[in-house]
Amino acid sequence: MRQPDSSLPRTGQDHTLSPYEPELGDVPSNDLSAEDLENVNKTGTTTIGITTAEGVVIATDMRASLGGRFVSNKNVQKVEQIHPTAALTLVGSVGGAQSFIRTLRAEVDLYETRRGEDISISALATLAGNFARGGPFFAINPILGGVDEEGHHVYSIDPAGGVMADDYTVTGSGLMVAHGTLEEGYEDDMTNDEAKRVAASAIKAAVERDTGSGNGVYLATITDEGVEINGHNDFDDVL
């Protein structure tokens, strides 16, 4: 007769595990050194999120670099849909950011399957912050933008897992240049089209001075009807 595992309680479940760990299991880890990371594709990046009267607009440049010294790709889509009415930018190592988005999408799907309802954007931001703090995602600093019943939201997520809501925000290596242009052009209750022009102008300003940013702009428009993402190699197409 098989003996029960005495290391587990009578329920057969191991309750020593933290209830705050991801529902899908452990966050993956790695043992890459700082020297290894010098040869990792990085997005460099300027990313912008703006709340509008109609929803949210997110803008990013299109360049990836190898160790910050060589342009390895000129057409990187740095904003991805992760929810029917939300999108997230990629900032940091390309592999780390892509892994972050895949993990977050899986958690969102699991949440909605178990509960039978859409996750709120504030809860999604908290989940993203928890992953940023506890996962192996190489100092990512993404922007989350989304629309739900509570309104239109933009969050910046720092590498330590901090989550900050704002009307507009900028992250990435070109943020100092882009921020000035964005603050000059931003107005309350802009339309999505107006916000796209302001965001594209700020990305263009960053591209002029930041070597980690370049090669065009991706624009994501988020409303209660969904997410639309388009890339433009020529800034004149949107300005």
Side-chain angles (χ1 to χ4, degrees):
M1 182 176 181
R2 189 173 72 86
Q3 296 297 317
D5 186 350
S6 60
S7 65
L8 297 177
R10 293 181 62 185
T11 60
Q13 299 177 0
D14 186 355
H15 293 289
T16 62
L17 295 176
S18 169
Y20 301 105
E21 291 184 356
E23 292 181 323
L24 291 184
D26 294 335
V27 174
S29 61
N30 65 75
D31 57 357
L32 293 179
S33 66
E35 184 177 349
D36 293 329
L37 296 181
E38 284 298 309
N39 296 317
V40 168
N41 278 314
K42 300 177 181 179
T43 61
T45 302
T46 304
T47 71
I48 294 170
I50 305 174
T51 58
T52 74
E54 300 172 337
V56 172
V57 167
I58 292 177
T60 76
D61 74 290
M62 301 171 68
R63 175 176 293 177
S65 61
L66 187 61
R69 297 182 297 271
F70 178 78
V71 177
S72 56
N73 195 303
K74 298 180 181 180
N75 190 27
V76 179
Q77 182 176 324
K78 300 182 186 179
V79 56
E80 295 279 356
Q81 183 174 359
I82 58 168
H83 176 279
T85 57
L88 188 83
T89 64
L90 287 75
V91 183
S93 72
V94 174
Q98 290 174 340
S99 176
F100 183 81
I101 285 177
R102 286 194 298 268
T103 304
L104 200 55
R105 279 176 176 162
E107 287 291 333
V108 168
D109 290 344
L110 182 60
Y111 176 100
E112 295 177 353
T113 298
R114 285 179 169 176
R115 303 198 180 200
E117 61 184 18
D118 289 342
I119 189 171
S120 69
I121 304 303
S122 61
L124 181 56
T126 299
L127 181 62
N130 290 342
F131 278 131
R133 180 175 61 254
F137 302 115
F138 306 137
I140 59 171
N141 188 193
I143 292 173
L144 170 67
V147 174
D148 60 16
E149 294 178 351
E150 298 175 2
H152 310 155
H153 314 275
V154 165
Y155 295 91
S156 62
I157 301 163
D158 68 38
V163 177
M164 292 180 288
D166 211 334
D167 294 329
Y168 59 89
T169 191
V170 185
T171 65
S173 55
L175 73 88
M176 288 188 289
V177 179
H179 229 302
T181 303
L182 179 57
E183 288 192 332
E184 182 179 2
Y186 175 82
E187 296 180 0
D188 292 334
D189 297 323
M190 288 191 296
T191 66
N192 282 349
D193 286 341
E194 290 170 337
K196 284 194 287 186
R197 287 192 291 271
V198 171
S201 294
I203 295 292
K204 183 179 181 181
V207 164
E208 295 291 333
R209 291 290 180 179
D210 175 44
T211 58
S213 304
N215 303 106
V217 60
Y218 265 98
L219 291 166
T221 306
I222 307 168
T223 66
D224 56 6
E225 297 181 352
V227 179
E228 181 180 350
I229 302 173
N230 294 293
H232 306 273
N233 295 108
D234 190 341
F235 284 97
D236 290 339
D237 292 343
V238 289
L239 293 178

